Amino acid sequence: MNISAPRPTRPPRGLRSILCVAIALLCSACGTPSENVPLSDTSVASLGKSATVLIVNHISAQVTVPKFTFDIPAIVAMGQRIVTPDMTREQLMSAVWTAVFQNPADYLQTSDGDPETKTAVAVGSGFFVTSDGVLVTNAHVVEAEDDQLKTEFTTEGLKDKLPGIIDDAIGQLSDEDQQYTKTWLSDDTNGKLAMQGLVAFLAPKTEVTDATANLGVVDVSGEAGTLQNPQLMPAHTLPGGVGSSQNEDVAILKVDGADFHTLPLSADVPQIQDTVFAVGFPGDSTFNDTFDQNERPESTVTDGKVNAIKTMSNFAYSAIQMSATIHPGNSGGPVLDRMGRVVGISTFGLTDSEGNAIPGTNFAIPISVAKKYLSQAGVTPSESSSTFHYRRALISEQTNHFSKARTEVEAILKDRPTDAIALREADHLNHEISEGHDRNLMDYLPAAAGGGAFLVLVAGLGVAGMRKRRRRSAAPAGVEAPTPAPVGTPRYRLLIQGRMIPLTQGASLATGDLPFLKSMGTGTVATVVQHLSQTGTIGIRNDSSDSWEVTWPDGTSLIVAPSETVPLIAGLRISFGPAQGVVHG
């Protein structure tokens, strides 16, 4: 037996129009942003900073720096060769000591030194890729190379000893020449030249043995301590997860913990002129005494463009050249795209002959190299619950849905009540809400309309729609019926705050139509144009200086930046700052 369910009674067509408008407005107020929405610059920075950590590597070793003395007879002979009749005594001594420290092998004599226990601290950056504490950084951050250690320990060993050694050496000179020499060395440039020359000469002869590294990680969302006294979580490298600074400069670390903020890894290779964001702890600004060292550690974000993809001559990958600035200390930090995904790892920059950074020559290792070492270490990157909610909060915040964002942040604090990132975000959201900046359903209604007026308005729109259809089907005598739009030139209307604005090709919307937007100078904030990428459709171009958020009928969302165009379709919701409109056919 074939049994049929009773056929439901459909509401009258006019009532359906009323219901459709009402439901569209209600859904526009309650829709959830898509997790695939491109992020604003501020949101990318916030997401990157939440998962980027400071890595501190305490290194200790037995160090033997050679002793040395100056070969005074050789120095005097050199002075006699370069002196000229018109040269003053001061000029001669300057030329002599410049030559000595530029060519120390010709004027220094060495002997065996005494072994000493030395310590050094190396700092770098890294980022979590799993909620249970797996993170990515550079190999040279966690395993200092032998040559680096020799240079560091030689420099440290000479800082205190150098003045006394030079005093002993120049003791064989006349009183006048000693005074000239001391005056020359007191100049900062000359002192730097002397130190560089001695380190370059002695470092290769320095012995470093029994070196040990103790790795610590500072989680900026947890008990971070201060820059002067950071709270370190012990970290260790994972088997199969360490490359080499001479090849694939990647290391995979692990700390104990749960639900750390994480960053997703991109599957795409960045393109030339893509915008990227470098996050990390550059030593020159992070640990500069100009800034309060009793503050919590906080990473720095710089942005720029991808300038080139450079094939490395000795490595099996192509480096990402970018204009985003990085400095020592950024090593190991993430380079993010507009979606907040890691496309590379900050690794090195080029310098000129004087050691100064060359602008625009900053390089990152592609994230594909890190994926290889993660796989070798048996690690599968995954998003943490904290990041899931934090990303949703940032997306909601982009369109002033501050209450919705606060709900997401509260979900983080439920499991991590001391999460510093979430607490700071909650303070910000509470301030925005208290200032009346939060978007809610009433923002979409006419300023003077209450709930009852809203229903009357919708009902009126429905009746107007029915009347319009009746006029089309039978126009009164002497009245010309509206001409249908030609094929290929569709017409739409935008319902926003009780107004219905026509959207026909070539129409422009000014600040008077959408007062929540800022014009880029022409007074126009939107224009309806032929959509180039989709034949036979029209779109609305963002001519304002603000980004919009659009949500398709299937719930997919997109950020529309200034000068970008989005195709028009019935049911499309467009968020213009604090107000949202619905497109009707």
Side-chain angles (χ1 to χ4, degrees):
M1 183 182 297
N2 191 11
I3 302 177
S4 301
R7 187 172 183 177
T9 301
R10 300 181 66 186
R13 187 171 295 175
L15 180 57
R16 290 205 304 272
S17 298
I18 296 172
L19 293 175
C20 286
V21 174
I23 291 171
L25 285 172
L26 289 170
C27 289
S28 71
C30 305
T32 302
S34 166
E35 304 308 323
N36 295 320
V37 174
L39 301 176
S40 67
D41 289 5
T42 300
S43 294
V44 173
S46 298
L47 194 70
K49 289 165 76 73
S50 71
T52 300
V53 300
L54 173 65
I55 299 176
V56 181
N57 189 2
H58 289 275
I59 305 168
S60 62
Q62 285 293 109
V63 181
T64 304
V65 181
K67 296 178 181 178
F68 71 95
T69 57
F70 290 98
D71 186 346
I72 296 301
I75 293 174
V76 171
M78 179 260 292
Q80 292 173 345
R81 291 194 303 273
I82 65 174
V83 66
T84 61
D86 59 344
M87 185 179 288
T88 65
R89 196 69 176 173
E90 183 178 2
Q91 292 172 332
L92 174 60
M93 295 309 299
S94 176
V96 164
W97 287 110
T98 298
V100 167
F101 292 112
Q102 287 178 339
N103 305 280
D106 295 336
Y107 304 105
L108 265 62
Q109 298 172 331
T110 60
S111 59
D112 293 338
D114 299 320
E116 297 180 79
T117 299
K118 295 286 186 181
T119 60
V121 178
V123 296
S125 306
F127 54 96
F128 286 116
V129 295
T130 69
S131 62
D132 62 350
V134 175
L135 58 97
V136 174
T137 186
N138 283 143
H140 76 258
V141 171
V142 303
E143 292 188 351
E145 295 295 316
D146 188 56
D147 288 345
Q148 290 179 315
L149 288 178
K150 287 181 177 180
T151 299
E152 178 68 25
F153 287 133
T154 301
T155 302
E156 289 299 317
L158 288 175
K159 279 183 179 178
D160 297 331
K161 297 178 181 179
L162 186 58
I165 294 173
I166 291 180
D167 283 346
D168 292 341
I170 65 177
Q172 302 177 44
L173 303 176
S174 66
D175 291 343
E176 185 180 19
D177 287 345
Q178 287 185 41
Q179 187 57 47
Y180 282 132
T181 300
K182 291 178 180 179
T183 300
W184 182 84
L185 284 169
S186 65
D187 180 85
D188 288 341
T189 301
N190 296 334
K192 182 178 180 180
L193 172 65
M195 178 62 75
Q196 289 176 336
L198 290 173
V199 170
F201 175 65
L202 296 174
K205 305 175 186 296
T206 297
E207 294 183 2
V208 177
T209 58
D210 301 326
T212 59
N214 293 297
L215 291 168
V217 169
V218 179
D219 175 23
V220 295
S221 68
E223 298 296 328
T226 66
L227 286 168
Q228 189 171 17
N229 185 27
Q231 298 298 304
L232 301 176
M233 298 183 295
H236 62 274
T237 58
L238 294 181
V242 182
S244 167
S245 63
Q246 301 304 314
N247 192 346
E248 295 176 325
D249 196 354
V250 170
I252 310 302
L253 304 185
K254 178 71 170 69
V255 299
D256 292 333
D259 208 18
F260 293 105
H261 290 262
T262 59
L263 289 174
L265 308 185
S266 177
D268 303 321
V269 177
Q271 302 299 304
I272 307 302
Q273 287 302 294
D274 279 358
T275 298
V276 289
F277 304 80
V279 190
F281 294 86
D284 51 4
S285 60
T286 302
F287 299 100
N288 193 306
D289 289 338
T290 302
F291 309 109
D292 189 354
Q293 297 298 294
N294 290 314
E295 292 289 319
R296 287 176 61 89
E298 182 173 356
S299 57
T300 297
V301 181
T302 57
D303 65 326
K305 299 289 187 180
V306 174
N307 302 134
I309 305 296
K310 295 283 192 178
T311 301
M312 306 294 286
S313 58
N314 298 322
F315 305 151
Y317 63 82
S318 297
I320 302 167
Q321 182 179 346
M322 58 189 179
S323 59
T325 304
I326 58 175
H327 294 282
N330 272 106
S331 293
V335 176
L336 308 174
D337 64 10
R338 284 232 174 255
M339 303 291 287
R341 303 171 302 191
V342 184
V343 297
I345 308 168
S346 297
T347 303
F348 66 96
L350 301 183
T351 58
D352 59 24
S353 58
E354 297 181 357
N356 300 312
I358 301 175
T361 59
N362 308 294
F363 293 88
I365 291 177
I367 197 59
S368 57
V369 179
K371 290 181 179 179
K372 168 186 170 182
Y373 282 90
L374 286 165
S375 178
Q376 290 177 181
V379 175
T380 301
S382 60
E383 184 180 59
S384 68
S385 173
S386 295
T387 296
F388 172 79
H389 290 293
Y390 191 41
R391 178 186 285 272
R392 288 168 65 92
L394 292 172
I395 291 173
S396 294
E397 185 180 342
Q398 288 180 175
T399 52
N400 295 345
H401 284 100
F402 297 118
S403 292
K404 190 184 299 184
R406 184 170 62 181
T407 300
E408 300 291 347
V409 171
E410 288 170 347
I412 301 174
L413 293 172
K414 181 179 179 181
D415 296 325
R416 289 168 56 93
T418 61
D419 189 302
I421 297 294
L423 287 170
R424 183 165 61 182
E425 184 69 14
D427 287 343
H428 167 67
L429 294 172
N430 286 333
H431 173 75
E432 293 293 339
I433 293 170
S434 68
E435 291 293 316
H437 299 158
D438 187 34
R439 274 177 52 181
N440 53 53
L441 177 60
M442 295 309 295
D443 286 326
Y444 312 134
L445 309 183
F454 167 65
L455 292 178
V456 172
L457 169 67
V458 173
L461 289 173
V463 172
M466 289 187 285
R467 288 175 177 170
K468 189 172 184 180
R469 284 193 292 273
R470 283 198 294 270
R471 286 199 299 270
R472 284 179 178 172
S473 56
V479 178
E480 191 175 52
T483 303
V487 176
T489 58
R491 295 177 178 178
Y492 295 96
R493 295 166 296 156
L494 175 69
L495 175 63
I496 184 166
Q497 292 193 328
R499 296 183 59 206
M500 192 70 82
I501 303 175
L503 299 177
T504 56
Q505 185 172 341
S508 295
L509 305 183
T511 53
D513 300 307
L514 302 173
F516 356 88
L517 299 179
K518 297 177 182 177
S519 172
M520 289 193 286
T522 61
T524 299
V525 292
T527 303
V528 181
V529 298
Q530 179 72 34
H531 197 268
L532 298 179
S533 64
Q534 299 188 30
T535 305
T537 67
I538 59 175
I540 184 167
R541 186 179 64 214
N542 183 358
D543 291 335
S544 74
S545 58
D546 302 300
S547 292
W548 309 341
E549 180 188 18
V550 299
T551 304
W552 309 102
D554 65 359
T556 303
S557 297
L558 179 70
I559 295 297
V560 183
S563 301
E564 291 184 346
T565 301
V566 61
L568 288 170
I569 183 174
L572 179 72
R573 300 195 301 273
I574 310 178
S575 298
F576 304 102
Q580 187 172 91
V582 181
V583 176
H584 294 265

